[in-house]
Structures are given as C-alpha cells and as structure tokens.
Amino acid sequence: MKQVTIKDIAREAGVSIASVSRALNGMDGISEKKRSRILRVCERLSYTPNGLARSLVKRRTQTIGIIMPDIMSPFYSELMVKASDAAHKRGYQVLLCNSFRELRAERDYLKLLAEHQVEGILIFPIGPRSTESMSEFIHNVPMVALNELTGQCGIPYVCADEEQAGRIAAEYLISRGCRNLLFVGFKPERLAHRYRAASFMETAKAKRIPAQIYECNLDFRTSFERGYNHFKHFLQSGLSMPDGIVAASDATANGIVKACRENGIRIPEDFSLIGFDNITEELPYIELTTVAVSHEEQMETAVELLLGMVEEGTPVGGKASVKLEPRLVERRSCKG
Amino acid sequence: MKQVTIKDIAREAGVSIASVSRALNGMDGISEKKRSRILRVCERLSYTPNGLARSLVKRRTQTIGIIMPDIMSPFYSELMVKASDAAHKRGYQVLLCNSFRELRAERDYLKLLAEHQVEGILIFPIGPRSTESMSEFIHNVPMVALNELTGQCGIPYVCADEEQAGRIAAEYLISRGCRNLLFVGFKPERLAHRYRAASFMETAKAKRIPAQIYECNLDFRTSFERGYNHFKHFLQSGLSMPDGIVAASDATANGIVKACRENGIRIPEDFSLIGFDNITEELPYIELTTVAVSHEEQMETAVELLLGMVEEGTPVGGKASVKLEPRLVERRSCKG
DNA sequence: CTGTTAGCGCCTTCAA
DNA sequence: TTGAAGGCGCTAACAG
C-alpha cells in the first residue's frame, strides 16, 4: 500500500509540486489545461491527499470530537446524530467516541481527541468526577458539556433546565387527577435526577398532594435495569400503589413497564406514567408521555457555542452556559 | 489556543528536541534525571503531543474506521461497540461513522477516512451499490465488509450464513408444531432477506408445510416501521392467519409486535414469532426468539482479518471471506 | 548519553 | 503562470 503523494503526481505530470497543490485545491494562478492534466493524473494513480500533512501545515483539522456515555442507548445515539448534523452543517467533521460510562475511557478519549488536534470537544460527562479530566485538557481544546457541571471549572454547558422539567411532570400528573405520586429510579449521583426529584417533591408539596421518592440504593448498569428492579422492589415492599409515577428517565420508565407487565399491571389503567428525555426510539408497546428539551435545539446550541469558541479563539471560561426550556410531550401513558 | 510544541519544551528545559522526544516516548538513551525534568516541564506547560505530526513521520496512525448504516439502531451500535473493543484490544484506535443509509454519506466517509490515513476500514455496506464507492478506495486502504458483497470487487466480507439462518428459523417453527408459515417484512434489495426468505421457503417445501412470503412493496425508513406496516397491511388483506411468522429481522419483528398489540393479537398464544440478528436491546415487553451469529465472534473475526491485511500489507483480493454459522437463540415468542 | 539533521506530505510565500 | 524553498511538529538515523 505505498502512498501516492503529490510528488509522484508532479513527476508524472511534469510539473512542480506547487502546481499540483494549486490544482487540487482549486486555487487560481494556474492555467486550465495544466490543471486538468494534473487532475487526470491524480485520477489515474488514484491519488488520495494525506489529510494529516494538510492539517499539520494548515493548523486546522475542521474536526470536532463528541464523547457520549453509551452509544447503545437510543437517547445518546440520537444526540450524537443531531450533534453530527449540526457540525456537518457548519463544515466540520466529527469523531464519535463512546466512553461507556467509564471515567478511564472518558479521559483516554479526551486525550486522544486532543492529540488528534480536534478543534473542539462536545462531551456528555458521565458524572461529576468527569470535570477532573476535563479541566486537564481545557487549556488545549475548547469544550462544551451537555450536562450541568458542578464546580467552577470554566467549562460551559448546554442542557435542560431539570428543575422546570420536574415541575412540569408533577403538575401534569396532578392536572390529570393523580393524588398519590411516586418518583422511581432515583440515582443520587446523577445531578439531573436530583433536580428532577427535588422540584417534583416541591411541586407536589405546594399543591398538597402526597408524593415520595422511592429510594432504593441498588444500582444497575443501565437505566432500564434500574427502573425494572427498583419497581419490582417497590412492588414487593407492600407500600400502597400510587396512581401517578414519575420515572427518573424514559429508559427507567421502560424498565418499569417491563416490571408491570410481569405483574399484570396495566398502564395507564392502573397508574399514569411519565418520563424524561423523550427517547424517540420505537418501542413495540409503550407510548410514553415525557418531558424534555428538543434534542435538535440542544445540539444546535451546543455546537454553535463550541464553534463560536473555536473560531474566535475564546480563552477558558469565556462563554456562558445555557439552560434550555423543557416541554411536555403528551402521548398515552397517562390517563384522563 | 497557541500550541505548545516539543520545541517549547526543549527550550524551557534547556535540552534538544531529540531528548524531549526520547523522554516522551519512553525510549532509552536518556538519563533518568533529564527525563523526569523534561516530563515535569511538559506537565507545567500542559503539553499535548501533536498526533498528526507524529503519524505523519511514523507513517502509521494505529487507527481504523468503522462505517455503519444507522448508529441509532441497537443492532448496529452493538456491532460498533464490539468492533471497537476488538480493535482496542489489538492496540488500534477507532473512528466511528454513521452513513445513515445514504450512499452519498457512505462515500464521503470512505474518502474522509482514507484521507485521515486510517489503516483499515470496517464497513457495513448499505446495499449492493456500495461496492462502487468501495472499489474506488480499495487501492488506498484495506477494507472488510460485514455483509455479503455482490460481484467480484476483491473486498472480503465476514457475515452470517443467511441461508442456514433461514433454514434454522423455518425448522424451529415447524418443530414447534407450526403448520402455516409466513415471512413478513421482506425487502428484496437486501441480500440477507433474499437468502433468509429463499431458504425458509425451501425448507418448508421440503417438509411439505404451507409457507409463503408476504410481499408488500411499501417501503419505510426503518425496519421497525416496515414490520409494523407490512403486518398491518397483511391483517387487512383478509388472508388466513398463520401460526408461525418469520420476521425479516428482529427490528421488523418488533414492528409486527406493535401491530399485534393494536389488534389484540397475542404472542405466542396466537402465533409464534421468530426473528434474525439477536438485537440485545432491552425491550419492555417482548422476548424474541431469534437466529443470529455471535456479534462478538463476527466483529473479532472481521477485525482480525482487517488487521491481518493491514499488518502484512496484503494487496487487493488477497484474503478470503468468511461466513459464520448462525445459532438459534431461544426465548419466549414461540409456543410449544 | 546528547544534539544535529534530514525528512514525513503538504501549503505558501517569494522570485522568476 | 510557474517553481524553488521554507516550514508545520515530530521521529529516527547519525555523529559526537
């Protein structure tokens, strides 16, 4: 697999390498007939430019990196697609990375991308500790997070206003007549869960509707499993059945649905169910009502913010985070 | 964002750039105290090596590219993960690309990856016409397909033996007592479907069991939608209900399940259902019996084949394709 | 053990 | 319109 280089083309076409470069890049300062002759030679030798060399000299790669926790989750893979689209639209290429919810892998990818000279990184941090590795690279490459970041690390984020989301979910269930609310699938490490749960409780309290968070400290690899197992656990607890359940996320809600099916519980006949995130994956049974921001809007905003930083060479901490307004997406998992 | 280079480090540490390079790459021929001094300077200036420059001179990127048709499908994203794992295990990095089932995007990525000097490409071609663009780059970079390729393009593939798969599915249903078989979700453009359907029919015929392919030329963006709509269409056709259905794929099967639910049809009580591919995604309701090869085995094999080509510089057409043996994965969508 | 030097493939002045 | 030459950041001989 010997590489054909610009030099080979030059020799073959009997011109200088400068002319070849000019021809390839559509620059002017070269006669049309020479250009077409050169291009023909390229064809013939099936020449492929070496992007590494080009990026090295131009000091631009026109590439950003995206790091997500779990490519197999429909939620994250949709975000990846939307983000890619947004980047492509602005003329940037994208490198996709899957951190697999492992801090180690996340850090490795951060490093890898920095070394590959990506001009910016869009990252969905897997947890609060992610900021440690992120701040390690913040001086080398602009970053935008897709999750609220704790602490003052100077990295801007673009995410949903989860407090609003929790309130919207609670208000909706109450408006549909629910009078005994439960939050299932809570995982305290997730900041988003904390916000959702807290404002859920607050809203219920303000309206004097009994509500509680089912806290079950068992953890599982996926949100689906967490939902499934937490709810099974709840069913065995002997606690009274709620008439409205807020799941910590849509994936969690799907787990709850599975547990219900195994126990002959029907949704929405036996209780109303609402989730967060608006996973758009098509499921054979459930049509889940949910609260979420527009994924497209979120990714567009994030990419725009990131490329803004890239293009104006914004130093660390030069940009402001943004919280997007979530909306209710009504489907058929709530009665009334 | 001015880059810190090896030169800056050398100046700051009062040594030559060669020493810095040696220190960074853990080579010997440098005293320990000098090395640690250099490394400290790197820390302090938060130096990140420029991978482009390094790859350029080493003429190696230790990177392969993976192109899949749909990152949002759990099937493909699982393959991506398995392939990444296999590549990482062998010390290669991976660039993930999503062709979105578009020939244009597929070709663009092929080109992009070649320009980025990936050392090999693993591709799940979106269709027979993919070979056109693939053969355009076959002289620049080794490739392995994850799908059977038509024609003599010299590109090896690693995929399931779909004829066997079709036979296994048919035999299983028959062994479970099904006596009226139907194949749903057929899309003639997909070679795999053709194999599956043909050997399904053949097997049934050999055993003298009535069987047919429900041909419905409506097409949809996803297999899920195809399954859903084809089966709804079938239900309205007034044809007699089968007692065993082979879905063109697991995704198709999920669509069928949805149509069943809307029509009060129960699985496996009303008919047995079997799919292909073994999507491992967790679904709230269905537990689908299916026929598939081990994804891990397939990706391991493909990566090994590809890296073999890379490392021994195999010329075009130097390697043989392999067809893997599918197995039955028994779950609970078939009665008996 | 250390530093100097010659490229890797390409783009981009600068002269001609 | 053309070509020669310098350099992007790095590694790998080759001298010392």
Side-chain angles (χ1 to χ4, degrees), chain A residues 14 35 37 42 61 94 96 116 164 167 207 303:
Chain A
R35 154 171 288 137
R37 177 152 52 93
C42 291
T61 54
V94 169
L96 265 25
H116 273 0
Q164 268 199 63
R167 185 176 50 68
K207 304 219 176 211
V303 167

Side-chain angles (χ1 to χ4, degrees), chain B residues 44-98:
Chain B
R44 184 156 56 76
L45 303 191
S46 76
Y47 166 75
T48 305
N50 185 326
L52 303 184
R54 178 181 304 186
S55 299
L56 183 62
V57 43
K58 300 197 82 151
R59 317 170 99 220
R60 296 224 47 186
T61 55
Q62 291 277 18
T63 302
I64 65 167
I66 302 182
I67 304 178
M68 294 272 176
D70 183 9
I71 199 187
M72 290 184 60
S73 138
F75 176 58
Y76 294 117
S77 60
E78 194 199 339
L79 292 186
M80 278 185 156
V81 169
K82 300 286 191 215
S84 301
D85 288 351
H88 289 149
K89 217 180 292 174
R90 289 168 176 74
Y92 282 76
Q93 299 159 17
V94 168
L95 300 186
L96 266 24
C97 305
N98 185 28

Side-chain angles (χ1 to χ4, degrees), chain B residues 184-243:
Chain B
V184 175
F186 183 64
K187 179 171 176 177
E189 292 86 344
R190 301 251 178 122
L191 209 52
H193 289 199
R194 292 223 288 266
Y195 281 124
R196 291 167 183 174
S199 68
F200 156 79
M201 288 300 285
E202 231 168 72
T203 306
K205 192 172 171 195
K207 305 219 175 210
R208 300 173 193 286
I209 302 290
Q212 67 180 98
I213 298 168
Y214 187 66
E215 306 211 29
C216 166
N217 50 7
L218 302 170
D219 194 27
F220 299 88
R221 209 189 61 77
T222 65
S223 300
F224 180 90
E225 289 176 88
R226 182 155 25 79
Y228 173 71
N229 287 292
H230 280 203
F231 195 61
K232 270 212 320 206
H233 197 265
F234 168 80
L235 290 176
Q236 287 158 7
S237 71
L239 292 169
S240 81
M241 195 70 170
D243 58 358

Side-chain angles (χ1 to χ4, degrees), chain B residues 53-292:
Chain B
R54 178 181 304 186
S55 299
L56 183 62
V57 43
K58 300 197 82 151
R59 317 170 99 220
R60 296 224 47 186
T61 55
Q62 291 277 18
T63 302
I64 65 167
I66 302 182
I67 304 178
M68 294 272 176
D70 183 9
I71 199 187
M72 290 184 60
S73 138
F75 176 58
Y76 294 117
S77 60
E78 194 199 339
L79 292 186
M80 278 185 156
V81 169
K82 300 286 191 215
S84 301
D85 288 351
H88 289 149
K89 217 180 292 174
R90 289 168 176 74
Y92 282 76
Q93 299 159 17
V94 168
L95 300 186
L96 266 24
C97 305
N98 185 28
S99 67
F100 233 97
R101 300 190 198 284
E102 282 166 23
L103 275 172
R104 172 64 191 279
E106 187 177 63
R107 196 194 161 284
D108 288 348
Y109 274 123
L110 241 12
K111 181 155 176 238
L112 187 73
L113 291 174
E115 291 187 359
H116 273 354
Q117 308 300 114
V118 297
E119 303 191 31
I121 296 179
L122 218 56
I123 177 172
F124 203 118
I126 60 181
R129 293 198 47 207
S130 296
T131 49
E132 293 172 22
S133 19
M134 287 166 73
S135 37
E136 196 179 322
F137 295 98
I138 187 64
H139 295 282
N140 294 302
V141 42
M143 284 189 263
V144 168
L146 298 167
N147 224 353
E148 185 161 349
L149 256 23
T150 52
Q152 237 0 69
C153 57
I155 298 166
Y157 55 81
V158 175
C159 69
D161 183 335
E162 301 294 0
E163 290 195 347
Q164 268 199 63
R167 185 176 50 69
I168 291 171
E171 281 176 354
Y172 179 70
L173 288 184
I174 293 169
S175 78
R176 301 291 266 196
C178 298
R179 290 297 173 265
N180 181 12
L181 267 30
L182 186 68
F183 189 102
V184 175
F186 183 64
K187 179 171 176 177
E189 292 86 344
R190 301 251 178 122
L191 209 52
H193 289 199
R194 292 223 288 266
Y195 281 124
R196 291 167 183 174
S199 68
F200 156 79
M201 288 300 285
E202 231 168 72
T203 306
K205 192 172 171 195
K207 305 219 175 210
R208 300 173 193 286
I209 302 290
Q212 67 180 98
I213 298 168
Y214 187 66
E215 306 211 29
C216 166
N217 50 7
L218 302 170
D219 194 27
F220 299 88
R221 209 189 61 77
T222 65
S223 300
F224 180 90
E225 289 176 88
R226 182 155 25 79
Y228 173 71
N229 287 292
H230 280 203
F231 195 61
K232 270 212 320 206
H233 197 265
F234 168 80
L235 290 176
Q236 287 158 7
S237 71
L239 292 169
S240 81
M241 195 70 170
D243 58 358
I245 290 186
V246 175
S249 70
D250 285 359
T252 312
N254 282 336
I256 295 173
V257 170
K258 181 178 181 188
C260 287
R261 182 182 190 227
E262 292 180 359
N263 287 274
I265 299 169
R266 292 156 310 157
I267 301 170
E269 290 82 355
D270 295 331
F271 66 77
S272 292
L273 178 63
I274 190 168
F276 297 96
D277 291 344
N278 192 22
I279 291 181
T280 53
E281 176 198 32
E282 292 159 303
L283 259 20
Y285 281 106
I286 191 76
E287 289 181 61
L288 189 65
T289 292
T290 191
V291 177

Side-chain angles (χ1 to χ4, degrees), chain A residues 148 157-163 195 293 321-325:
Chain A
E148 185 161 350
Y157 55 81
V158 175
C159 69
D161 182 334
E162 301 294 1
E163 292 196 346
Y195 282 124
V293 296
S321 299
V322 3
K323 284 200 184 186
L324 269 14
E325 289 223 359

Side-chain angles (χ1 to χ4, degrees), chain A residues 70-85:
Chain A
D70 183 8
I71 199 186
M72 289 183 60
S73 138
F75 176 58
Y76 294 117
S77 60
E78 194 198 339
L79 293 186
M80 278 186 156
V81 169
K82 299 286 191 217
S84 301
D85 288 350

